[in-house]
Amino acid sequence: MTVVVWITEGTWPACVDAARTRVPQDAEIVLLYVAGAEAPGAAHGAFAGLLGRGHPGPRHPGAGWGSDPGDRMEELASATGEDLLRAAAERLARPCTVRVAHGRVEREVVAAAEGADLLVLARDGSRTHRGPHSLGPAARYVLDHAPCPVLLLWPDRVPER
């Protein structure tokens, strides 16, 4: 049995706890963090366009001219993901595989779940109301396109209404 656990900043403890208590001991667990491409992509585009014009690398290296800020944003996203995955693996307290993916978050999660027996994720929308607003766009896409069964969790207490 292979289980993919989607690790995100606000909901990872609930997902890891569910995997720890609900997944058989002999299952292969993959902890997945996806670094989104939207913000770094915008920074790359801005640098290539207006911000990057006329500022070649060698002229003002101390001021950062010539350095694409999108590269640094990608590095920071990967580092954040690695930190979260380290904490998640420690909380899981059993053998697992950790993976950082880059790209459109929802598509990367669906791709990672290909061939898995279960995908674990938490609601990423409103935590104060039940219903469709408790799912954000990424989780909604993943639920609609997941190639395997999905365990959907509340990251906190279930709202009363």
Side-chain angles (χ1 to χ4, degrees):
M1 173 179 219
T2 301
V3 177
V4 176
V5 181
W6 182 15
I7 303 298
T8 64
E9 284 84 357
T11 64
W12 70 268
C15 294
V16 170
D17 290 348
R20 191 176 68 231
T21 60
R22 292 183 172 98
V23 172
Q25 282 298 115
D26 62 342
E28 176 188 344
I29 297 178
V30 178
L31 302 177
L32 172 70
Y33 176 83
V34 182
E38 295 81 15
H44 286 307
F47 181 76
L50 294 176
L51 296 178
R53 269 190 222 149
H55 301 292
R59 290 207 183 151
H60 305 287
W65 292 114
S67 300
D68 185 341
D71 294 338
R72 180 68 178 138
M73 292 177 79
E74 287 173 349
E75 291 170 15
L76 291 171
S78 289
T80 297
E82 289 166 7
D83 290 345
L84 283 175
L85 288 170
R86 198 171 9 265
E90 186 175 303
R91 186 176 184 120
L92 184 62
R94 62 194 253 199
C96 63
T97 302
V98 295
R99 181 172 164 222
V100 175
H102 298 273
R104 295 211 36 202
V105 174
E106 61 277 7
R107 293 182 186 273
E108 291 295 325
V109 173
V110 169
E114 193 68 45
D117 297 297
L118 181 67
L119 172 63
V120 179
L121 67 122
R123 295 173 182 270
D124 60 352
S126 172
R127 294 185 182 187
T128 60
H129 296 89
R130 296 180 185 182
H133 295 294
S134 67
L135 291 172
R140 170 59 62 199
Y141 182 93
V142 170
L143 285 173
D144 289 345
H145 296 87
C148 64
V150 175
L151 174 58
L152 178 63
L153 308 163
W154 282 96
D156 304 312
R157 282 184 326 114
V158 178
E160 304 230 358
R161 307 194 247 167

